[in-house]
Amino acid sequence: MTPGTRRAVGLALTSLTGLAAFVIVAVLAIILFNVVENGAGGVTWTFLTQPPADGMMAGGIFPAIFGTAALTLLMTLAVMPVGVLTAVYLHEYAPPNSLFARLVRVAVVNLAGVPSIVFGLFGLGFFILFVGQGMDRALGHEEMYWAQPGILWASLTLAVLTLPVVIVSTEEALRAVPMDHRTASLALGATQSQTLARVVLPGALPGILTGAVLAISRGAGEVAPILFTGAAYFLPDLPSHLNSQFMHLGYHTYVMATQSPDVEATRPLLYATVLVLLLLTFALNLVAVIIRTRTRRKAAGAH
């Protein structure tokens, strides 16, 4: 291949890549413009602080905002320790030819490809009907207490859904820590556990937080897994216990779009709800990104 041909091929590939990126950004911009144009006028203080009213054709969405934020927080608290510890075992402790480690990696890859609705059925069957009923029998509850949909089971279902994201991103972050750092720590007399806690994990923390950001992005907008495990059609009260049902912005959007008796009257509230959901997701991501950036700067300053 002549130099001129190589330049032409390179230019063509660069142009195609730039065009694909432009199309993606353009589609996102059109969607955001449409949502902001139709929903910005409906986002008022009353809309953000009041429960739905008049068959969800009036009022606000505060219970849905609270439920979405609480669900995402519980999901993050559940998935991060399990995901990080699994990745640490796979990368730091598992033997290179470990059959168990290979099986775990295969399971993680397959888990990432399972449709989200299947996770909802899994949460219903395992967490509610198996774990919940077992807890009720063990604790002597005569009526269903844990064996019913609730925010705890919904958050654990989303934790299982986002587990592959956390494991893969954490393992990549651990792999990015230079081996020389581990070797130097061990040569100075530190044990493997001390090296992991004081050298490896601090160096991999920005990448681990990246996994948290991706998990929040994935879990905050999911609706299918929580349909069976805790989301309520209409519930003006806030969840007060781990077994309480809750409203969710994504599910609330689905209900208004498909179950409203007056679509035209509901449309402004629907666009406003979608806008709030996007803003809440962006805000959660922004907080995680800020924490990650500050952690990375502190790590760079320490080195």
Side-chain angles (χ1 to χ4, degrees):
M1 184 180 294
T2 62
T5 304
R6 286 198 297 268
R7 285 194 297 270
V9 172
L11 180 61
L13 292 176
T14 302
S15 301
L16 289 175
T17 304
L19 179 61
F22 173 77
V23 169
I24 293 174
V25 174
V27 170
L28 177 61
I30 292 173
I31 294 174
L32 292 178
F33 177 78
N34 183 47
V35 172
V36 172
E37 181 184 22
N38 293 280
V43 180
T44 63
W45 180 251
T46 301
F47 180 74
L48 295 176
T49 57
Q50 298 295 323
D54 296 337
M56 289 181 287
M57 292 188 296
I61 56 170
F62 179 72
I65 295 175
F66 183 89
T68 304
L71 176 71
T72 305
L73 177 61
L74 289 174
M75 177 206 71
T76 306
L77 294 176
V79 71
M80 289 306 297
V82 177
V84 171
L85 290 175
T86 302
V88 167
Y89 169 77
L90 292 176
H91 191 267
E92 300 293 329
Y93 290 99
N97 298 322
S98 172
L99 176 62
F100 178 70
R102 289 202 298 269
L103 290 176
V104 171
R105 287 193 171 93
V106 171
V108 169
V109 172
N110 291 330
L111 197 63
V114 175
S116 58
I117 191 68
V118 177
F119 285 98
L121 296 174
F122 166 77
L124 174 63
F126 180 74
F127 290 122
I128 297 176
L129 299 181
F130 179 71
V131 178
Q133 287 185 358
M135 291 176 62
D136 283 343
R137 287 193 296 267
L139 298 174
H141 293 299
E142 296 182 358
E143 298 181 354
M144 289 191 305
Y145 186 81
W146 293 108
Q148 62 179 353
I151 192 170
L152 174 63
W153 305 134
S155 61
L156 292 180
T157 302
L158 288 181
V160 176
L161 172 69
T162 55
L163 187 60
V165 175
V166 177
I167 293 175
V168 172
S169 60
T170 301
E171 195 169 3
E172 289 297 326
L174 294 172
R175 192 174 292 114
V177 177
M179 186 59 66
D180 292 344
H181 295 181
R182 297 177 175 85
T183 305
S185 176
L186 295 173
L188 292 173
T191 64
Q192 186 176 6
S193 299
Q194 291 173 332
T195 300
L196 176 67
R198 300 178 182 179
V199 177
V200 179
L201 287 180
L205 188 57
I208 295 174
L209 293 177
T210 299
V213 172
L214 296 175
I216 290 172
S217 302
R218 177 79 188 277
E222 284 288 348
V223 176
I226 65 175
L227 291 176
F228 311 103
T229 55
Y233 180 91
F234 173 72
L235 187 66
D237 298 326
L238 302 181
S240 57
H241 300 87
L242 290 177
N243 66 329
S244 300
Q245 287 189 282
F246 62 97
M247 292 189 69
H248 185 271
L249 284 172
Y251 185 45
H252 189 58
T253 301
Y254 167 78
V255 169
M256 288 194 298
T258 60
Q259 309 296 323
S260 174
D262 189 344
V263 177
E264 293 300 326
T266 310
R267 184 169 297 170
L269 299 178
L270 176 61
Y271 273 103
T273 303
V274 173
L275 179 58
V276 172
L277 176 59
L278 291 177
L279 292 176
L280 180 62
T281 304
F282 291 160
L284 291 172
N285 287 337
L286 180 62
V287 171
V289 168
I290 291 174
I291 295 175
R292 181 186 64 182
T293 303
R294 290 185 176 179
T295 304
R296 182 176 296 171
R297 288 177 179 175
K298 288 180 180 180
H303 288 298

PDB file of all heavy atoms in Angstrom, residues 54-55 99 139 159 192 204 208 215 239 295:
ATOM      1  N   ASP A  54     -55.422  14.173  41.383  1.00  0.00           N
ATOM      2  CA  ASP A  54     -56.401  14.100  40.292  1.00  0.00           C
ATOM      3  C   ASP A  54     -56.016  13.046  39.247  1.00  0.00           C
ATOM      4  O   ASP A  54     -55.950  13.329  38.045  1.00  0.00           O
ATOM      5  CB  ASP A  54     -56.563  15.470  39.604  1.00  0.00           C
ATOM      6  CG  ASP A  54     -57.122  16.522  40.544  1.00  0.00           C
ATOM      7  OD1 ASP A  54     -57.782  16.134  41.536  1.00  0.00           O
ATOM      8  OD2 ASP A  54     -56.869  17.717  40.305  1.00  0.00           O
ATOM      9  N   GLY A  55     -55.770  11.834  39.718  1.00  0.00           N
ATOM     10  CA  GLY A  55     -55.410  10.766  38.783  1.00  0.00           C
ATOM     11  C   GLY A  55     -54.090  11.015  38.092  1.00  0.00           C
ATOM     12  O   GLY A  55     -53.904  10.621  36.936  1.00  0.00           O
ATOM     13  N   LEU A  99      -9.701 -22.391  37.935  1.00  0.00           N
ATOM     14  CA  LEU A  99     -10.955 -22.716  37.263  1.00  0.00           C
ATOM     15  C   LEU A  99     -12.105 -21.901  37.837  1.00  0.00           C
ATOM     16  O   LEU A  99     -12.982 -21.443  37.097  1.00  0.00           O
ATOM     17  CB  LEU A  99     -11.240 -24.218  37.405  1.00  0.00           C
ATOM     18  CG  LEU A  99     -12.578 -24.712  36.831  1.00  0.00           C
ATOM     19  CD1 LEU A  99     -12.639 -24.465  35.326  1.00  0.00           C
ATOM     20  CD2 LEU A  99     -12.779 -26.187  37.154  1.00  0.00           C
ATOM     21  N   LEU A 139     -38.699 -15.248  61.450  1.00  0.00           N
ATOM     22  CA  LEU A 139     -39.015 -14.203  62.429  1.00  0.00           C
ATOM     23  C   LEU A 139     -40.406 -14.350  63.024  1.00  0.00           C
ATOM     24  O   LEU A 139     -40.789 -13.567  63.900  1.00  0.00           O
ATOM     25  CB  LEU A 139     -38.870 -12.820  61.783  1.00  0.00           C
ATOM     26  CG  LEU A 139     -37.453 -12.468  61.295  1.00  0.00           C
ATOM     27  CD1 LEU A 139     -37.470 -11.142  60.553  1.00  0.00           C
ATOM     28  CD2 LEU A 139     -36.479 -12.417  62.456  1.00  0.00           C
ATOM     29  N   ALA A 159     -28.863  -3.958  42.148  1.00  0.00           N
ATOM     30  CA  ALA A 159     -27.455  -4.216  42.469  1.00  0.00           C
ATOM     31  C   ALA A 159     -26.937  -5.409  41.670  1.00  0.00           C
ATOM     32  O   ALA A 159     -25.813  -5.389  41.151  1.00  0.00           O
ATOM     33  CB  ALA A 159     -27.298  -4.465  43.966  1.00  0.00           C
ATOM     34  N   GLN A 192       0.855  -8.816  51.592  1.00  0.00           N
ATOM     35  CA  GLN A 192       0.003  -8.611  50.427  1.00  0.00           C
ATOM     36  C   GLN A 192      -1.249  -7.813  50.784  1.00  0.00           C
ATOM     37  O   GLN A 192      -1.684  -6.955  50.020  1.00  0.00           O
ATOM     38  CB  GLN A 192      -0.394  -9.959  49.823  1.00  0.00           C
ATOM     39  CG  GLN A 192      -1.181  -9.830  48.512  1.00  0.00           C
ATOM     40  CD  GLN A 192      -1.487 -11.176  47.888  1.00  0.00           C
ATOM     41  OE1 GLN A 192      -1.218 -12.217  48.470  1.00  0.00           O
ATOM     42  NE2 GLN A 192      -2.051 -11.156  46.691  1.00  0.00           N
ATOM     43  N   ALA A 204      -6.092   2.652  42.549  1.00  0.00           N
ATOM     44  CA  ALA A 204      -7.199   2.254  41.675  1.00  0.00           C
ATOM     45  C   ALA A 204      -8.499   2.966  42.010  1.00  0.00           C
ATOM     46  O   ALA A 204      -9.507   2.749  41.326  1.00  0.00           O
ATOM     47  CB  ALA A 204      -7.408   0.741  41.763  1.00  0.00           C
ATOM     48  N   ILE A 208     -12.303   2.819  40.346  1.00  0.00           N
ATOM     49  CA  ILE A 208     -13.409   2.213  41.098  1.00  0.00           C
ATOM     50  C   ILE A 208     -14.587   3.172  41.153  1.00  0.00           C
ATOM     51  O   ILE A 208     -15.751   2.768  40.996  1.00  0.00           O
ATOM     52  CB  ILE A 208     -12.935   1.835  42.507  1.00  0.00           C
ATOM     53  CG1 ILE A 208     -11.865   0.740  42.433  1.00  0.00           C
ATOM     54  CG2 ILE A 208     -14.108   1.366  43.364  1.00  0.00           C
ATOM     55  CD1 ILE A 208     -11.233   0.405  43.768  1.00  0.00           C
ATOM     56  N   ALA A 215     -22.526   2.507  37.344  1.00  0.00           N
ATOM     57  CA  ALA A 215     -23.604   1.772  38.005  1.00  0.00           C
ATOM     58  C   ALA A 215     -24.778   2.695  38.315  1.00  0.00           C
ATOM     59  O   ALA A 215     -25.949   2.320  38.138  1.00  0.00           O
ATOM     60  CB  ALA A 215     -23.079   1.129  39.292  1.00  0.00           C
ATOM     61  N   PRO A 239     -41.598   6.164  51.308  1.00  0.00           N
ATOM     62  CA  PRO A 239     -41.237   4.880  51.941  1.00  0.00           C
ATOM     63  C   PRO A 239     -40.574   5.120  53.288  1.00  0.00           C
ATOM     64  O   PRO A 239     -39.603   5.870  53.398  1.00  0.00           O
ATOM     65  CB  PRO A 239     -40.270   4.245  50.938  1.00  0.00           C
ATOM     66  CG  PRO A 239     -39.745   5.390  50.139  1.00  0.00           C
ATOM     67  CD  PRO A 239     -40.850   6.393  50.068  1.00  0.00           C
ATOM     68  N   THR A 295     -10.416  12.821  44.030  1.00  0.00           N
ATOM     69  CA  THR A 295      -9.615  11.685  44.469  1.00  0.00           C
ATOM     70  C   THR A 295      -8.404  11.483  43.568  1.00  0.00           C
ATOM     71  O   THR A 295      -7.294  11.206  44.024  1.00  0.00           O
ATOM     72  CB  THR A 295     -10.473  10.410  44.488  1.00  0.00           C
ATOM     73  OG1 THR A 295     -11.620  10.618  45.315  1.00  0.00           O
ATOM     74  CG2 THR A 295      -9.686   9.231  45.026  1.00  0.00           C
TER      75      THR A 295
END
